[in-house]
């Protein structure tokens, strides 16, 4: 099957094979890190800034952006240095190859979740569509080599024509016109030389009217940005309406922004989406570590006068919870049990000096615990301890269950 313009519709296998044979070349100039974004921008005629933002957003979205960038660094050849005897591009050096493989292995393990796999598929699909629609566009090093060869060839051809012609043939200085001895000379001056000051150039054609400047092609840059933003807001709002968590709804909006930037790469637009994608990606990362449902910001300092005033549980999404229980007075058989949970923040509890305490301190993500002197730092911490106080057994009993998803948990004696 053929297209109207004569090009043959390429299948998936042909497109992939052609991409590998004509894959982007990482330039020596304009590269920020490995030159992958600059290579893609130069090869397919898109803004490298959009490509860099897509890699950054993809890194936040499951780590796929980091894996795709390392693969590009590993597989895209480097532009030659231009030294004598060196032509075209060259492969990645041995030490750099080893380093990239060492970085790629842990990065692949980081994208083992659904979001990472979706990001890899989306990135691969975007690259496939780019090459399918712009496969005939040469990369910058190839185009420069063609221009250099074309210029040299034209100059050589012009010189050969000027010297290998008839002895009576000569070229007007500064022009491409030639004249022979048999040409009829003009006797009347042309309109552009009414005083007859340049008779040697009278046989040049009359200057025509300058053609009007061509109108710049109409683009849809602003439309791509506005339509994508509207769709992102609609998708996020619809996600909340059907019961998605805030983190999932923001992730859906971020995916729509990413799709809009891919579309913008084809129409040379959508650069305004960069300013929205970066904070949305940061918000998605923040919401991913917060508990569900969202309970707002918390800054709670509790100082009860009696045991009865202590609640069964204290919770918050982001902030600090302080329980000052050191002023409470316990009878020998009196018991108290309470818990506290914070999504992102700190929990601090102060106990009376003589009460018997059974305490469990834990964190879900990164954090630290100081549970009646037992200190630990890291991820997924669990510390359980029993302390009988300064006077030994007796003096009442208190049980605490304290958890911070990301943050610090501290228990001290008053």
């Amino acid at each position: 099957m053929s297209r109207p313009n004569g090009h043959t519709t390429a299948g998936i296998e042909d497109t992939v094979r052609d991409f590998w044979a004509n894959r982007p070349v990482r330039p020596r100039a304009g590269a920020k890190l490995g030159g992958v974004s600059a290579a893609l921008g130069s090869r397919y005629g898109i803004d490298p800034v959009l490509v860099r933002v897509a890699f950054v957003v993809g890194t936040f979205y499951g780590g796929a952006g980091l894996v795709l960038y390392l693969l590009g660094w590993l597989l895209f050849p480097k532009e030659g240095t231009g030294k004598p005897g060196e032509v075209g591009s060259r492969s990645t050096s041995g030490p750099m190859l080893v380093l990239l493989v060492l970085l790629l292995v842990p990065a692949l393990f980081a994208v083992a979740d659904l979001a990472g796999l979706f990001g890899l598929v989306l990135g691969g699909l975007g690259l496939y569509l780019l090459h399918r629609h712009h496969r005939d566009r040469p990369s910058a090093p190839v185009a420069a080599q063609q221009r250099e060869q074309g210029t040299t060839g034209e100059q050589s051809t012009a010189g050969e024509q000027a010297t290998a012609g008839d002895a009576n043939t000569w070229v007007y200085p500064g022009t491409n016109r030639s004249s022979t001895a048999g040409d009829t000379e003009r006797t009347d001056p042309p309109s552009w030389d009414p005083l007859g000051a340049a008779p040697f150039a009278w046989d040049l054609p009359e200057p025509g009217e300058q053609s009007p400047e061509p109108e710049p092609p109409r683009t849809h840059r602003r439309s791509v940005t506005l339509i994508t933003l509207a769709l992102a807001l609609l998708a996020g709002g619809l996600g909340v309406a059907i019961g998605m968590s805030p983190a999932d709804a923001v992730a859906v909006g971020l995916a729509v922004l990413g799709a809009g930037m891919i579309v913008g790469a084809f129409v040379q637009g959508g650069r305004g989406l960069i300013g929205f994608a970066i904070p949305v990606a940061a918000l998605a990362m923040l919401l991913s570590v917060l508990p569900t449902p969202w309970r707002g910001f918390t800054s709670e300092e509790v100082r009860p006068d009696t045991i009865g005033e202590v609640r069964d549980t204290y919770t918050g999404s982001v902030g600090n919870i302080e329980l000052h229980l050191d002023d409470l007075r316990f009878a020998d058989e009196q018991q108290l049990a309470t818990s506290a949970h914070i999504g992102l923040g700190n929990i601090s509890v102060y106990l009376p000096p003589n009460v018997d305490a059974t305490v469990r301190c834990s964190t879900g993500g990164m954090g630290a615990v100081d549970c009646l002197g037992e200190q630990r730092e890291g991820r997924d911490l669990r510390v359980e301890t029993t302390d009988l106080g300064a006077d030994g057994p007796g003096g009442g009993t208190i049980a605490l269950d304290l958890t911070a998803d990301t943050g610090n948990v501290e228990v001290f004696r008053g």
Side-chain angles (χ1 to χ4, degrees):
M1 179 178 179
S2 298
R3 296 180 182 175
N5 59 5
H7 292 285
T8 302
T9 303
I12 296 178
E13 183 178 353
D14 294 336
T15 302
V16 173
R17 187 183 297 111
D18 184 78
F19 166 77
W20 180 254
N22 302 280
R23 59 193 183 276
V25 177
R26 294 183 288 115
R28 301 185 60 82
K32 300 299 182 183
L33 184 59
V36 178
S37 301
L40 291 170
S42 175
R43 176 65 177 84
Y44 300 113
I46 59 179
D47 193 339
V49 177
L50 283 176
V51 183
R52 293 185 182 106
V53 171
F55 278 124
V56 172
V57 173
T59 300
F60 289 130
Y61 196 74
L66 177 60
V67 172
L68 292 173
Y69 192 91
L70 291 175
L71 285 174
W73 198 341
L74 183 66
L75 301 177
F76 292 171
K78 182 74 172 179
E79 182 184 356
T81 60
K83 296 179 180 179
E86 183 175 358
V87 180
S89 57
R90 55 191 177 91
S91 302
T92 305
S93 62
M96 180 58 68
L97 185 65
V98 174
L99 177 60
L100 291 175
V101 172
L102 292 177
L103 293 175
L104 187 60
V105 171
L108 287 173
F109 284 103
V111 296
D113 58 355
L114 183 60
L117 295 177
F118 177 76
L120 289 177
V121 172
L122 186 62
L125 179 61
L127 186 58
Y128 169 81
L129 293 175
L130 270 176
H131 188 78
R132 186 175 180 86
H133 288 81
H134 299 280
R135 61 187 302 170
D136 296 331
R137 187 181 188 277
S139 61
V142 174
Q145 186 176 7
Q146 290 175 351
R147 288 194 299 269
E148 183 178 355
Q149 293 175 352
T151 302
T152 305
E154 291 174 1
Q155 291 175 352
S156 300
T157 303
E160 292 173 358
Q161 291 176 352
T163 58
D166 188 87
N168 295 326
T169 302
W170 60 281
V171 179
Y172 285 101
T175 69
N176 292 325
R177 280 189 81 249
S178 62
S179 175
T180 61
D183 288 345
T184 302
E185 296 185 0
R186 182 171 180 170
T187 59
D188 298 328
S191 60
W192 55 269
D193 187 19
L195 298 179
F200 59 87
W202 283 359
D203 56 346
L204 292 176
E206 294 285 347
E209 295 182 359
Q210 295 183 353
S211 58
E213 292 290 336
E215 294 183 1
R218 295 182 178 179
T219 61
H220 303 283
R221 300 177 181 179
R222 187 175 181 86
S223 298
V224 170
T225 301
L226 295 178
I227 292 175
T228 304
L229 288 177
L231 291 177
L233 290 174
L234 179 62
L238 182 62
V240 173
I242 63 177
M244 282 186 176
S245 66
D248 292 339
V250 172
V252 170
L254 182 61
V256 174
L257 291 177
M261 286 190 288
I262 293 176
V263 173
F266 288 97
V267 298
Q268 299 296 313
R271 187 166 183 172
L273 296 173
I274 298 175
F276 295 93
I278 294 176
V280 171
L283 180 61
M285 289 187 60
L286 177 62
L287 292 177
S288 65
V289 301
L290 298 181
T292 302
W294 168 255
R295 297 184 178 89
F297 293 92
T298 300
S299 181
E300 191 168 10
E301 183 177 350
V302 180
R303 294 181 178 272
D305 295 325
T306 63
I307 296 177
E309 294 179 4
V310 180
R311 300 201 304 263
D312 292 337
T313 184
Y314 297 87
T315 59
S317 293
V318 177
N320 299 298
I321 297 176
E322 290 188 13
L323 299 181
H324 292 268
L325 309 179
D326 44 330
D327 291 333
L328 295 179
R329 297 294 178 262
F330 286 78
D332 286 342
E333 302 297 331
Q334 201 166 13
Q335 298 180 353
L336 171 64
T338 187
S339 64
H341 177 268
I342 194 74
L344 176 64
N346 302 315
I347 298 176
S348 300
V349 180
Y350 299 88
L351 300 179
N354 297 323
V355 67
D356 298 344
T358 301
V359 185
R360 184 176 70 176
C361 306
S362 60
T363 64
M366 291 297 298
V369 299
D370 185 351
C371 200
L372 291 175
E374 292 194 28
Q375 300 178 354
R376 295 182 187 177
E377 295 182 0
R379 295 180 58 90
D380 299 327
L381 302 175
R382 298 288 186 276
V383 175
E384 296 188 21
T385 184
T386 299
D387 186 272
L388 302 179
D391 61 345
T397 303
I398 187 169
L400 299 177
D401 187 359
L402 312 175
T403 303
D405 291 339
T406 301
N408 302 322
V409 178
E410 302 171 326
V411 181
F412 306 105
R413 289 285 185 178

